[in-house]
Amino acid sequence: MNHELHAASAVELVAAYREGKLSPVEVVQDVLEQVARWEPWLQATYLLNPESALAQARTSEARWRSGAPLGPLDGVPATIKENIATRGDPLPAGTAAVDLKAAAVDGPPAARLRETGAVIFSKTTMPDYGMLSSGLSSFHTLARNPWDLSRTPGGSSAGAGAAAAAGYGPLHVGTDIGGSLRLPAGWCGIFTLKPSLGRIPIDPPYMGRAAGPMTRTVADSALMMQVLSRPDVRDSMNLPPNDIAWSSFDCGPDHLKGLRIGLLLEAGCGLPVDPEIRAAVEQAARLFEQAGAVVEPMQPFMTQAMLDGMDHLWRMRSHVDLQALRPEQRARVLPYIRDWAESAAGFSGEHIFRAFSQFHTTRVAAVAACAKFDYVVSPVAPNMPAAAEDPSPTNDPMRPLEHIGFTVPFNMSEQPAASINCGYSAAGLPIGLQIAGQRFDDLGVLRVSRAFEQIREAQRPWPEPPGA
Protein backbone atom coordinates (compact mmCIF):
# COMPACT_ATOMS: atom_id res chain seq x y z
CA MET A 1 0.00 0.00 0.00
CA ASN A 2 1.26 3.47 -0.91
CA HIS A 3 1.97 5.51 2.22
CA GLU A 4 0.66 8.56 0.33
CA LEU A 5 -2.97 7.53 0.26
CA HIS A 6 -3.91 10.07 -2.40
CA ALA A 7 -1.56 8.26 -4.80
CA ALA A 8 -2.90 4.78 -4.09
CA SER A 9 -4.83 3.07 -6.84
CA ALA A 10 -8.51 2.27 -6.54
CA VAL A 11 -7.63 -1.43 -6.69
CA GLU A 12 -5.29 -1.00 -3.70
CA LEU A 13 -7.81 1.06 -1.74
CA VAL A 14 -10.68 -1.38 -2.18
CA ALA A 15 -8.45 -4.28 -1.10
CA ALA A 16 -7.35 -2.35 2.00
CA TYR A 17 -10.94 -1.44 2.87
CA ARG A 18 -11.97 -5.08 2.54
CA GLU A 19 -9.15 -6.20 4.84
CA GLY A 20 -9.88 -3.44 7.36
CA LYS A 21 -6.42 -1.91 6.91
CA LEU A 22 -7.70 1.49 5.77
CA SER A 23 -10.76 3.64 6.21
CA PRO A 24 -12.31 5.75 3.43
CA VAL A 25 -12.21 8.65 5.88
CA GLU A 26 -8.40 8.72 6.16
CA VAL A 27 -8.07 8.27 2.40
CA VAL A 28 -10.43 11.14 1.61
CA GLN A 29 -8.66 13.35 4.15
CA ASP A 30 -5.32 12.69 2.45
CA VAL A 31 -6.79 13.36 -0.99
CA LEU A 32 -8.25 16.67 0.19
CA GLU A 33 -4.84 17.65 1.60
CA GLN A 34 -3.21 16.86 -1.76
CA VAL A 35 -5.84 18.95 -3.56
CA ALA A 36 -5.13 21.85 -1.18
CA ARG A 37 -1.39 21.60 -1.95
CA TRP A 38 -1.86 21.62 -5.73
CA GLU A 39 -5.03 23.57 -6.40
CA PRO A 40 -3.63 27.14 -6.12
CA TRP A 41 -1.56 26.31 -9.21
CA LEU A 42 -3.69 23.83 -11.15
CA GLN A 43 -7.25 25.18 -10.74
CA ALA A 44 -8.63 21.78 -11.76
CA THR A 45 -11.68 21.66 -9.47
CA TYR A 46 -15.19 23.10 -9.50
CA LEU A 47 -17.60 22.79 -6.57
CA LEU A 48 -14.97 21.13 -4.39
CA ASN A 49 -16.89 20.05 -1.28
CA PRO A 50 -14.72 18.69 1.56
CA GLU A 51 -17.62 18.48 4.03
CA SER A 52 -19.74 16.38 1.71
CA ALA A 53 -16.73 14.21 0.86
CA LEU A 54 -16.02 13.41 4.48
CA ALA A 55 -19.69 12.70 5.16
CA GLN A 56 -19.76 10.26 2.23
CA ALA A 57 -16.53 8.69 3.49
CA ARG A 58 -17.93 8.17 6.99
CA THR A 59 -21.01 6.49 5.55
CA SER A 60 -18.80 4.27 3.37
CA GLU A 61 -16.64 3.42 6.39
CA ALA A 62 -19.74 2.19 8.23
CA ARG A 63 -20.73 0.00 5.27
CA TRP A 64 -17.29 -1.60 5.07
CA ARG A 65 -17.25 -2.23 8.82
CA SER A 66 -20.59 -3.98 8.56
CA GLY A 67 -19.41 -6.01 5.57
CA ALA A 68 -21.94 -4.45 3.22
CA PRO A 69 -20.20 -2.24 0.61
CA LEU A 70 -22.45 -0.94 -2.15
CA GLY A 71 -20.14 -2.03 -4.95
CA PRO A 72 -16.60 -2.27 -6.30
CA LEU A 73 -15.84 1.46 -5.86
CA ASP A 74 -17.30 2.02 -2.39
CA GLY A 75 -15.30 4.65 -0.53
CA VAL A 76 -12.94 5.45 -3.42
CA PRO A 77 -12.49 9.21 -4.12
CA ALA A 78 -13.72 10.33 -7.54
CA THR A 79 -14.23 13.49 -9.58
CA ILE A 80 -16.67 14.10 -12.42
CA LYS A 81 -16.28 16.50 -15.34
CA GLU A 82 -18.36 19.62 -14.97
CA ASN A 83 -20.62 18.88 -17.98
CA ILE A 84 -21.92 15.61 -16.45
CA ALA A 85 -24.92 16.41 -14.28
CA THR A 86 -24.72 15.89 -10.53
CA ARG A 87 -27.98 16.48 -8.70
CA GLY A 88 -28.28 19.87 -7.05
CA ASP A 89 -25.32 21.35 -8.94
CA PRO A 90 -25.32 23.79 -11.88
CA LEU A 91 -23.89 22.95 -15.31
CA PRO A 92 -21.99 25.99 -16.60
CA ALA A 93 -20.53 24.08 -19.59
CA GLY A 94 -17.31 25.97 -18.95
CA THR A 95 -18.75 29.31 -20.01
CA ALA A 96 -19.84 32.45 -18.20
CA ALA A 97 -22.71 32.75 -20.70
CA VAL A 98 -24.89 30.04 -19.13
CA ASP A 99 -27.65 30.79 -16.64
CA LEU A 100 -26.81 28.58 -13.66
CA LYS A 101 -29.56 26.13 -12.72
CA ALA A 102 -29.27 23.16 -10.41
CA ALA A 103 -29.48 19.76 -12.08
CA ALA A 104 -32.49 17.75 -10.90
CA VAL A 105 -30.83 14.34 -11.18
CA ASP A 106 -27.44 12.74 -11.67
CA GLY A 107 -26.34 12.08 -15.24
CA PRO A 108 -25.66 8.41 -15.99
CA PRO A 109 -21.92 8.33 -15.11
CA ALA A 110 -22.53 10.21 -11.85
CA ALA A 111 -25.47 7.96 -11.00
CA ARG A 112 -23.37 4.82 -11.53
CA LEU A 113 -20.57 6.11 -9.30
CA ARG A 114 -22.97 7.15 -6.58
CA GLU A 115 -24.78 3.81 -6.70
CA THR A 116 -21.52 1.98 -6.06
CA GLY A 117 -20.58 4.21 -3.11
CA ALA A 118 -17.73 6.19 -4.70
CA VAL A 119 -16.94 9.41 -2.83
CA ILE A 120 -17.70 12.19 -5.32
CA PHE A 121 -15.81 15.13 -3.82
CA SER A 122 -15.57 17.58 -6.73
CA LYS A 123 -16.39 18.36 -10.32
CA THR A 124 -13.50 19.18 -12.69
CA THR A 125 -13.11 22.16 -14.99
CA MET A 126 -13.50 22.47 -18.75
CA PRO A 127 -13.27 25.19 -21.44
CA ASP A 128 -16.25 27.02 -22.94
CA TYR A 129 -18.79 24.48 -24.27
CA GLY A 130 -16.05 21.84 -24.28
CA MET A 131 -14.89 23.07 -27.67
CA LEU A 132 -11.21 23.65 -26.85
CA SER A 133 -8.27 21.34 -26.18
CA SER A 134 -7.17 23.53 -23.29
CA GLY A 135 -8.13 24.63 -19.82
CA LEU A 136 -9.07 28.16 -20.91
CA SER A 137 -12.57 29.15 -19.83
CA SER A 138 -14.65 32.30 -19.43
CA PHE A 139 -16.21 30.74 -16.30
CA HIS A 140 -13.44 28.75 -14.59
CA THR A 141 -9.97 29.91 -13.63
CA LEU A 142 -7.33 28.80 -16.14
CA ALA A 143 -6.36 25.13 -15.57
CA ARG A 144 -2.71 24.14 -15.90
CA ASN A 145 -0.61 21.02 -16.47
CA PRO A 146 1.11 19.65 -13.33
CA TRP A 147 4.11 18.46 -15.36
CA ASP A 148 4.79 22.06 -16.46
CA LEU A 149 2.60 24.85 -15.12
CA SER A 150 3.29 26.96 -18.19
CA ARG A 151 1.56 24.32 -20.37
CA THR A 152 -2.06 23.35 -20.91
CA PRO A 153 -3.36 20.08 -19.50
CA GLY A 154 -5.34 19.70 -22.71
CA GLY A 155 -9.10 19.53 -23.00
CA SER A 156 -11.85 19.55 -22.93
CA SER A 157 -11.49 17.22 -19.91
CA ALA A 158 -8.86 19.66 -18.69
CA GLY A 159 -9.39 19.57 -14.95
CA ALA A 160 -9.78 15.79 -14.96
CA GLY A 161 -6.46 15.23 -16.71
CA ALA A 162 -4.63 17.60 -14.39
CA ALA A 163 -6.34 16.13 -11.31
CA ALA A 164 -5.40 12.54 -12.20
CA ALA A 165 -1.75 13.44 -12.82
CA ALA A 166 -1.57 15.49 -9.61
CA GLY A 167 -2.98 12.74 -7.40
CA TYR A 168 -6.45 14.04 -6.63
CA GLY A 169 -7.39 10.46 -5.85
CA PRO A 170 -7.51 7.59 -8.37
CA LEU A 171 -10.81 7.97 -10.26
CA HIS A 172 -11.91 10.68 -12.69
CA VAL A 173 -14.62 10.79 -15.36
CA GLY A 174 -14.30 12.89 -18.52
CA THR A 175 -16.02 13.12 -21.90
CA ASP A 176 -14.81 13.02 -25.49
CA ILE A 177 -16.30 14.05 -28.85
CA GLY A 178 -13.09 14.52 -30.84
CA GLY A 179 -10.29 13.74 -28.41
CA SER A 180 -11.33 15.36 -25.14
CA LEU A 181 -10.41 12.31 -23.03
CA ARG A 182 -7.31 11.23 -24.93
CA LEU A 183 -5.66 14.62 -25.50
CA PRO A 184 -5.47 15.61 -21.81
CA ALA A 185 -4.58 12.02 -20.91
CA GLY A 186 -1.69 12.10 -23.37
CA TRP A 187 -0.43 15.50 -22.30
CA CYS A 188 -0.80 14.67 -18.58
CA GLY A 189 0.74 11.19 -18.78
CA ILE A 190 -2.29 9.25 -17.52
CA PHE A 191 -4.47 6.47 -18.94
CA THR A 192 -7.92 6.78 -20.45
CA LEU A 193 -10.32 4.74 -22.53
CA LYS A 194 -12.70 6.42 -24.94
CA PRO A 195 -15.12 3.52 -25.21
CA SER A 196 -17.20 2.37 -28.15
CA LEU A 197 -20.12 4.74 -28.64
CA GLY A 198 -22.91 3.74 -26.26
CA ARG A 199 -20.75 1.52 -24.05
CA ILE A 200 -20.99 4.06 -21.22
CA PRO A 201 -24.41 5.72 -21.16
CA ILE A 202 -24.40 9.51 -21.34
CA ASP A 203 -27.09 12.18 -21.30
CA PRO A 204 -27.58 13.93 -23.61
CA PRO A 205 -26.24 11.50 -26.23
CA TYR A 206 -24.72 13.01 -29.36
CA MET A 207 -22.92 11.75 -32.44
CA GLY A 208 -19.43 10.66 -31.41
CA ARG A 209 -19.82 11.73 -27.76
CA ALA A 210 -18.54 9.37 -25.08
CA ALA A 211 -17.78 9.44 -21.37
CA GLY A 212 -14.82 7.52 -20.04
CA PRO A 213 -12.51 6.80 -17.12
CA MET A 214 -9.34 8.85 -16.56
CA THR A 215 -6.89 7.13 -14.21
CA ARG A 216 -3.20 6.55 -13.58
CA THR A 217 -3.41 2.83 -14.32
CA VAL A 218 -5.17 0.53 -16.74
CA ALA A 219 -6.44 -1.54 -13.80
CA ASP A 220 -8.33 1.40 -12.33
CA SER A 221 -9.98 2.18 -15.66
CA ALA A 222 -11.02 -1.46 -16.00
CA LEU A 223 -12.50 -1.30 -12.51
CA MET A 224 -14.42 1.85 -13.43
CA MET A 225 -15.74 0.20 -16.60
CA GLN A 226 -17.49 -2.43 -14.45
CA VAL A 227 -19.59 0.40 -13.04
CA LEU A 228 -19.80 3.04 -15.77
CA SER A 229 -20.89 0.59 -18.48
CA ARG A 230 -24.11 -0.41 -16.70
CA PRO A 231 -27.16 0.50 -18.84
CA ASP A 232 -29.26 3.65 -18.60
CA VAL A 233 -32.44 4.25 -20.61
CA ARG A 234 -31.66 7.96 -21.01
CA ASP A 235 -29.03 7.21 -23.63
CA SER A 236 -30.77 6.40 -26.93
CA MET A 237 -27.42 5.12 -28.24
CA ASN A 238 -26.76 2.86 -25.22
CA LEU A 239 -25.46 -0.53 -26.37
CA PRO A 240 -27.45 -3.61 -25.33
CA PRO A 241 -26.46 -4.98 -21.92
CA ASN A 242 -23.42 -7.17 -22.35
CA ASP A 243 -21.80 -9.31 -19.67
CA ILE A 244 -18.22 -8.20 -20.31
CA ALA A 245 -15.57 -9.73 -18.06
CA TRP A 246 -13.84 -6.45 -17.31
CA SER A 247 -11.77 -8.09 -14.58
CA SER A 248 -10.07 -10.26 -17.23
CA PHE A 249 -8.23 -7.22 -18.63
CA ASP A 250 -5.00 -8.15 -16.81
CA CYS A 251 -2.92 -9.70 -19.58
CA GLY A 252 0.82 -10.12 -19.67
CA PRO A 253 3.09 -9.28 -22.62
CA ASP A 254 2.47 -12.77 -24.09
CA HIS A 255 -0.98 -11.52 -25.03
CA LEU A 256 0.63 -9.43 -27.77
CA LYS A 257 2.06 -12.42 -29.66
CA GLY A 258 0.61 -12.69 -33.14
CA LEU A 259 -1.57 -9.59 -32.92
CA ARG A 260 -1.76 -7.59 -36.15
CA ILE A 261 -1.04 -3.98 -35.26
CA GLY A 262 -1.19 -1.05 -37.64
CA LEU A 263 1.29 1.76 -37.07
CA LEU A 264 -0.12 5.15 -38.04
CA LEU A 265 2.51 7.89 -37.90
CA GLU A 266 0.83 10.55 -40.04
CA ALA A 267 -2.74 11.71 -39.57
CA GLY A 268 -3.16 12.92 -43.16
CA CYS A 269 -4.29 16.37 -42.01
CA GLY A 270 -3.53 19.04 -39.47
CA LEU A 271 -0.26 19.75 -37.72
CA PRO A 272 2.91 17.82 -38.55
CA VAL A 273 4.02 15.28 -35.97
CA ASP A 274 6.66 16.55 -33.57
CA PRO A 275 9.89 14.54 -34.05
CA GLU A 276 10.04 13.60 -30.35
CA ILE A 277 6.49 12.27 -30.48
CA ARG A 278 7.20 10.29 -33.63
CA ALA A 279 10.31 8.76 -32.06
CA ALA A 280 8.42 7.75 -28.91
CA VAL A 281 5.63 6.09 -30.90
CA GLU A 282 8.15 4.29 -33.14
CA GLN A 283 9.88 2.98 -30.00
CA ALA A 284 6.52 1.78 -28.68
CA ALA A 285 5.99 -0.07 -31.97
CA ARG A 286 9.37 -1.75 -31.56
CA LEU A 287 8.35 -2.92 -28.10
CA PHE A 288 5.18 -4.43 -29.55
CA GLU A 289 7.28 -6.22 -32.18
CA GLN A 290 9.71 -7.51 -29.56
CA ALA A 291 6.72 -8.93 -27.68
CA GLY A 292 5.68 -10.87 -30.80
CA ALA A 293 3.13 -8.58 -32.42
CA VAL A 294 3.15 -8.13 -36.19
CA VAL A 295 3.44 -4.38 -36.77
CA GLU A 296 2.72 -2.96 -40.22
CA PRO A 297 2.94 0.71 -41.27
CA MET A 298 -0.36 2.33 -42.27
CA GLN A 299 -1.06 5.02 -44.78
CA PRO A 300 -2.98 8.07 -43.54
CA PHE A 301 -6.74 7.81 -44.10
CA MET A 302 -7.91 11.21 -42.85
CA THR A 303 -7.95 14.22 -45.17
CA GLN A 304 -8.05 17.95 -44.54
CA ALA A 305 -11.49 17.99 -46.17
CA MET A 306 -12.78 15.57 -43.52
CA LEU A 307 -11.33 17.63 -40.70
CA ASP A 308 -12.61 20.90 -42.15
CA GLY A 309 -16.06 19.46 -42.72
CA MET A 310 -16.40 18.44 -39.08
CA ASP A 311 -15.05 21.81 -38.01
CA HIS A 312 -17.57 23.72 -40.14
CA LEU A 313 -20.56 21.69 -38.97
CA TRP A 314 -19.52 22.23 -35.33
CA ARG A 315 -19.06 25.94 -36.06
CA MET A 316 -22.63 26.15 -37.32
CA ARG A 317 -23.96 24.22 -34.34
CA SER A 318 -22.20 26.63 -32.00
CA HIS A 319 -23.32 29.63 -34.07
CA VAL A 320 -26.94 28.54 -33.70
CA ASP A 321 -26.45 28.00 -29.97
CA LEU A 322 -24.86 31.42 -29.51
CA GLN A 323 -27.57 33.15 -31.51
CA ALA A 324 -30.11 31.75 -29.05
CA LEU A 325 -28.37 33.58 -26.19
CA ARG A 326 -29.27 37.03 -24.98
CA PRO A 327 -26.77 39.66 -26.24
CA GLU A 328 -25.29 40.12 -22.77
CA GLN A 329 -24.82 36.35 -22.47
CA ARG A 330 -23.17 36.10 -25.87
CA ALA A 331 -20.71 38.82 -24.87
CA ARG A 332 -19.47 36.63 -22.00
CA VAL A 333 -18.43 33.73 -24.25
CA LEU A 334 -14.69 33.33 -24.73
CA PRO A 335 -13.75 35.59 -27.70
CA TYR A 336 -11.97 32.72 -29.47
CA ILE A 337 -15.16 30.64 -29.38
CA ARG A 338 -17.29 33.59 -30.49
CA ASP A 339 -15.01 34.29 -33.46
CA TRP A 340 -15.00 30.62 -34.41
CA ALA A 341 -18.78 30.24 -34.21
CA GLU A 342 -19.63 33.54 -35.89
CA SER A 343 -17.46 32.61 -38.88
CA ALA A 344 -20.25 30.17 -39.83
CA ALA A 345 -22.81 32.95 -40.34
CA GLY A 346 -22.23 33.04 -44.09
CA PHE A 347 -22.20 29.28 -44.71
CA SER A 348 -24.85 28.15 -47.20
CA GLY A 349 -27.17 25.20 -46.74
CA GLU A 350 -25.23 23.28 -49.37
CA HIS A 351 -21.97 24.02 -47.57
CA ILE A 352 -23.32 22.67 -44.28
CA PHE A 353 -24.73 19.58 -46.01
CA ARG A 354 -21.33 18.85 -47.54
CA ALA A 355 -19.65 19.53 -44.18
CA PHE A 356 -22.00 17.14 -42.40
CA SER A 357 -21.29 14.48 -45.04
CA GLN A 358 -17.66 14.44 -43.94
CA PHE A 359 -18.62 12.82 -40.63
CA HIS A 360 -19.81 9.70 -42.45
CA THR A 361 -16.92 9.86 -44.91
CA THR A 362 -14.56 9.84 -41.92
CA ARG A 363 -16.36 6.88 -40.40
CA VAL A 364 -16.14 4.83 -43.59
CA ALA A 365 -12.46 5.68 -44.08
CA ALA A 366 -11.53 4.79 -40.49
CA VAL A 367 -13.33 1.44 -40.54
CA ALA A 368 -11.79 0.51 -43.90
CA ALA A 369 -8.28 1.50 -42.82
CA CYS A 370 -8.48 -0.51 -39.60
CA ALA A 371 -10.20 -3.58 -41.06
CA LYS A 372 -7.05 -5.65 -41.59
CA PHE A 373 -5.66 -4.99 -38.10
CA ASP A 374 -6.56 -6.15 -34.62
CA TYR A 375 -5.39 -2.80 -33.22
CA VAL A 376 -3.94 0.48 -34.44
CA VAL A 377 -1.31 2.49 -32.59
CA SER A 378 -0.51 6.14 -33.27
CA PRO A 379 0.32 9.37 -31.53
CA VAL A 380 -2.55 10.81 -29.52
CA ALA A 381 -1.62 14.31 -30.64
CA PRO A 382 0.92 15.55 -33.18
CA ASN A 383 2.15 18.27 -30.82
CA MET A 384 3.37 18.80 -27.28
CA PRO A 385 0.96 20.67 -24.99
CA ALA A 386 0.58 24.33 -25.92
CA ALA A 387 1.01 27.32 -23.63
CA ALA A 388 -1.61 27.23 -20.89
CA GLU A 389 -3.06 30.57 -21.97
CA ASP A 390 -3.57 29.50 -25.60
CA PRO A 391 -7.09 28.29 -26.47
CA SER A 392 -5.72 25.85 -29.04
CA PRO A 393 -2.33 24.66 -30.33
CA THR A 394 -2.58 26.95 -33.37
CA ASN A 395 -4.07 29.83 -31.37
CA ASP A 396 -6.13 30.50 -34.51
CA PRO A 397 -9.95 30.11 -34.48
CA MET A 398 -9.90 29.53 -38.24
CA ARG A 399 -7.60 26.51 -37.72
CA PRO A 400 -9.00 25.13 -34.46
CA LEU A 401 -8.84 21.36 -34.95
CA GLU A 402 -5.39 20.85 -36.45
CA HIS A 403 -4.35 18.69 -33.47
CA ILE A 404 -7.19 16.09 -33.50
CA GLY A 405 -6.45 14.25 -36.74
CA PHE A 406 -5.42 11.09 -34.87
CA THR A 407 -8.26 11.11 -32.32
CA VAL A 408 -11.45 12.33 -34.01
CA PRO A 409 -11.83 9.51 -36.58
CA PHE A 410 -12.41 7.00 -33.78
CA ASN A 411 -15.25 9.08 -32.39
CA MET A 412 -16.97 8.99 -35.76
CA SER A 413 -16.27 5.27 -36.37
CA GLU A 414 -17.46 4.47 -32.81
CA GLN A 415 -14.30 2.45 -32.14
CA PRO A 416 -12.71 2.25 -28.67
CA ALA A 417 -9.41 4.10 -28.35
CA ALA A 418 -7.12 4.51 -25.35
CA SER A 419 -4.29 6.87 -24.46
CA ILE A 420 -1.34 5.52 -22.49
CA ASN A 421 1.98 7.17 -21.76
CA CYS A 422 4.79 5.86 -23.97
CA GLY A 423 7.68 8.18 -23.19
CA TYR A 424 8.86 11.68 -22.38
CA SER A 425 10.19 14.63 -24.31
CA ALA A 426 13.63 16.09 -23.66
CA ALA A 427 11.85 18.68 -21.51
CA GLY A 428 10.27 15.91 -19.41
CA LEU A 429 6.73 16.15 -20.80
CA PRO A 430 4.69 12.94 -21.21
CA ILE A 431 3.91 11.58 -24.68
CA GLY A 432 0.67 9.71 -25.30
CA LEU A 433 0.28 6.58 -27.43
CA GLN A 434 -3.17 5.93 -28.84
CA ILE A 435 -4.32 2.29 -29.02
CA ALA A 436 -7.51 1.84 -31.06
CA GLY A 437 -9.48 -1.38 -31.52
CA GLN A 438 -12.34 -2.68 -33.57
CA ARG A 439 -15.82 -1.46 -32.66
CA PHE A 440 -17.12 -3.05 -29.41
CA ASP A 441 -13.66 -4.44 -28.50
CA ASP A 442 -13.28 -2.22 -25.44
CA LEU A 443 -11.98 -5.08 -23.33
CA GLY A 444 -9.41 -5.93 -26.00
CA VAL A 445 -8.08 -2.37 -25.97
CA LEU A 446 -7.74 -2.56 -22.19
CA ARG A 447 -5.86 -5.86 -22.51
CA VAL A 448 -3.41 -4.52 -25.08
CA SER A 449 -2.97 -1.37 -22.99
CA ARG A 450 -2.26 -3.47 -19.91
CA ALA A 451 0.30 -5.55 -21.79
CA PHE A 452 2.00 -2.40 -23.05
CA GLU A 453 1.95 -0.95 -19.52
CA GLN A 454 4.27 -3.82 -18.55
CA ILE A 455 6.77 -3.51 -21.41
CA ARG A 456 7.09 0.27 -21.72
CA GLU A 457 10.06 2.12 -20.23
CA ALA A 458 10.12 2.82 -16.51
CA GLN A 459 7.77 5.67 -15.67
CA ARG A 460 9.03 8.83 -14.04
CA PRO A 461 7.71 9.97 -10.65
CA TRP A 462 4.47 11.93 -10.77
CA PRO A 463 4.90 15.70 -10.47
CA GLU A 464 4.90 17.29 -7.03
CA PRO A 465 3.29 20.58 -6.02
CA PRO A 466 5.56 23.64 -6.04
CA GLY A 467 7.44 23.88 -2.76
CA ALA A 468 6.79 20.24 -1.83
Side-chain angles (χ1 to χ4, degrees), residues 234-455:
R234 289 174 287 177
D235 187 347
S236 58
M237 300 182 188
N238 195 183
L239 296 177
N242 198 341
D243 188 18
I244 296 173
W246 297 109
S247 61
S248 69
F249 79 95
D250 195 4
C251 294
D254 284 353
H255 177 71
L256 302 175
K257 288 182 180 178
L259 290 181
R260 299 164 301 162
I261 293 180
L263 174 61
L264 183 66
L265 291 171
E266 298 291 340
C269 58
L271 294 171
V273 177
D274 182 290
E276 287 187 295
I277 294 174
R278 184 184 183 101
V281 173
E282 288 177 330
Q283 172 59 18
R286 284 191 287 272
L287 293 176
F288 278 110
E289 283 186 318
Q290 290 167 16
V294 179
V295 179
E296 180 181 327
M298 291 177 66
Q299 293 300 309
F301 58 85
M302 283 286 289
T303 67
Q304 193 66 39
M306 293 176 193
L307 192 64
D308 290 345
M310 289 185 277
D311 172 24
H312 288 194
L313 189 280
W314 282 333
R315 289 190 203 198
M316 180 56 79
R317 184 190 69 172
S318 295
H319 175 63
V320 171
D321 289 344
L322 264 58
Q323 290 304 301
L325 298 176
R326 301 186 304 274
E328 67 272 18
Q329 289 178 294
R330 201 176 310 129
R332 298 187 200 116
V333 176
L334 201 69
Y336 181 100
I337 294 291
R338 279 207 315 270
D339 292 345
W340 172 71
E342 289 170 0
S343 69
F347 290 167
S348 68
E350 179 183 350
H351 183 88
I352 292 302
F353 169 77
R354 294 186 183 281
F356 181 73
S357 299
Q358 294 299 325
F359 286 79
H360 186 67
T361 300
T362 300
R363 176 192 184 102
V364 170
V367 170
C370 297
K372 65 183 289 189
F373 303 107
D374 298 309
Y375 301 94
V376 169
V377 299
S378 74
V380 169
N383 58 294
M384 295 296 179
E389 295 80 7
D390 288 350
S392 73
T394 62
N395 202 15
D396 180 356
M398 299 303 104
R399 296 176 58 232
L401 305 184
E402 301 295 291
H403 55 291
I404 69 169
F406 288 107
T407 52
V408 72
F410 299 113
N411 293 82
M412 299 312 135
S413 65
E414 306 182 13
Q415 294 170 249
S419 173
I420 188 168
N421 191 56
C422 69
Y424 302 87
S425 71
L429 293 169
I431 296 172
L433 175 75
Q434 181 171 245
I435 302 174
Q438 297 292 334
R439 191 179 178 207
F440 310 132
D441 189 23
D442 305 70
L443 179 58
V445 171
L446 287 175
R447 287 173 169 165
V448 172
S449 298
R450 173 59 184 143
F452 179 73
E453 194 175 39
Q454 296 167 74
I455 62 174

